[in-house]
Amino acid sequence: MATITLPTWVTLTRLFAVPILLVGMEQPGLLPTWVPLVVFLLAAATDWLDGWLARRLNQVSDLGKVLDPLVDKLLVLAPLLVLVAQQVVPTWAVFLILARELTIAGWRVNQPKISGANLWGKLKTVVQIAAIALLLPPLSPRFLPLGLGCFWIAVALTLISGWTYLRPSKTT
């Protein structure tokens, strides 16, 4: 059994933040409106932190390479599904994001070597996080156009990054 390293623990804190985020988004009277935004931004920051720690402490692991992108997907898809229910973003666009994520996760399972995200995948994640943050209360009314703009850029980057993983590699 693999030892759980500090970077992996940081990844797990991001996972544990998802239910808190969802409760705050679905039950706006239960928590102050800024709590989901703060939880989301702190959880998103751990995505950078766990990678930095893994490299700095020389604790890059196969478990981390699998768990990190999976938790990233949950952190992004969970609030997007709530935003669909709240009719902030269209269902079909979130479906495209979900389809890409499931396709790439399935593709990665069949790879002989576990690899990290490429530049397009990292850029996609950053823009998705920015879009969600801008669409969450208390920012959403003021930043709705900017948030929706980021959301549509995120959808485009999601499709582009998916293509970069799945396109046939050129052999020369």
Side-chain angles (χ1 to χ4, degrees):
M1 182 172 177
T3 304
I4 297 182
T5 62
L6 177 60
T8 301
W9 280 112
V10 172
T11 299
L12 290 173
T13 64
R14 186 163 63 257
L15 178 61
F16 298 141
V18 173
I20 298 166
L21 171 64
L22 291 176
V23 167
M25 288 181 72
E26 291 183 335
Q27 306 292 327
L30 187 62
L31 300 170
T33 58
W34 53 266
V35 169
L37 177 61
V38 170
V39 168
F40 180 74
L41 290 174
L42 288 173
T46 67
D47 186 29
W48 171 83
L49 180 62
D50 62 20
W52 181 81
L53 284 170
R55 289 183 297 276
R56 175 97 174 171
L57 301 174
N58 196 26
Q59 293 181 346
V60 175
S61 67
D62 285 345
L63 176 61
K65 287 180 186 177
V66 170
L67 197 58
D68 181 66
L70 176 63
V71 172
D72 288 350
K73 288 164 186 29
L74 293 173
L75 180 66
V76 166
L77 288 167
L80 283 177
L81 291 174
V82 176
L83 292 170
V84 164
Q86 294 172 346
Q87 298 181 342
V88 176
V89 296
T91 305
W92 67 267
V94 174
F95 173 80
L96 289 176
I97 293 171
L98 176 62
R100 181 267 188 212
E101 300 302 352
L102 291 174
T103 301
I104 299 306
W107 174 82
R108 280 187 170 150
V109 167
N110 292 314
Q111 298 306 301
K113 182 178 180 234
I114 300 170
S115 63
N118 66 22
L119 179 62
W120 286 103
K122 290 179 182 187
L123 182 60
K124 169 219 38 130
T125 301
V126 168
V127 176
Q128 286 174 340
I129 288 168
I132 292 165
L134 290 166
L135 294 171
L136 287 174
L139 298 181
S140 58
R142 193 173 7 172
F143 289 97
L144 184 61
L146 183 58
L148 288 173
C150 280
F151 173 77
W152 290 113
I153 292 169
V155 171
L157 288 171
T158 298
L159 297 174
I160 291 167
S161 70
W163 174 249
T164 65
Y165 281 102
L166 299 177
R167 74 173 183 252
S169 59
K170 297 177 182 171
T171 55
T172 54

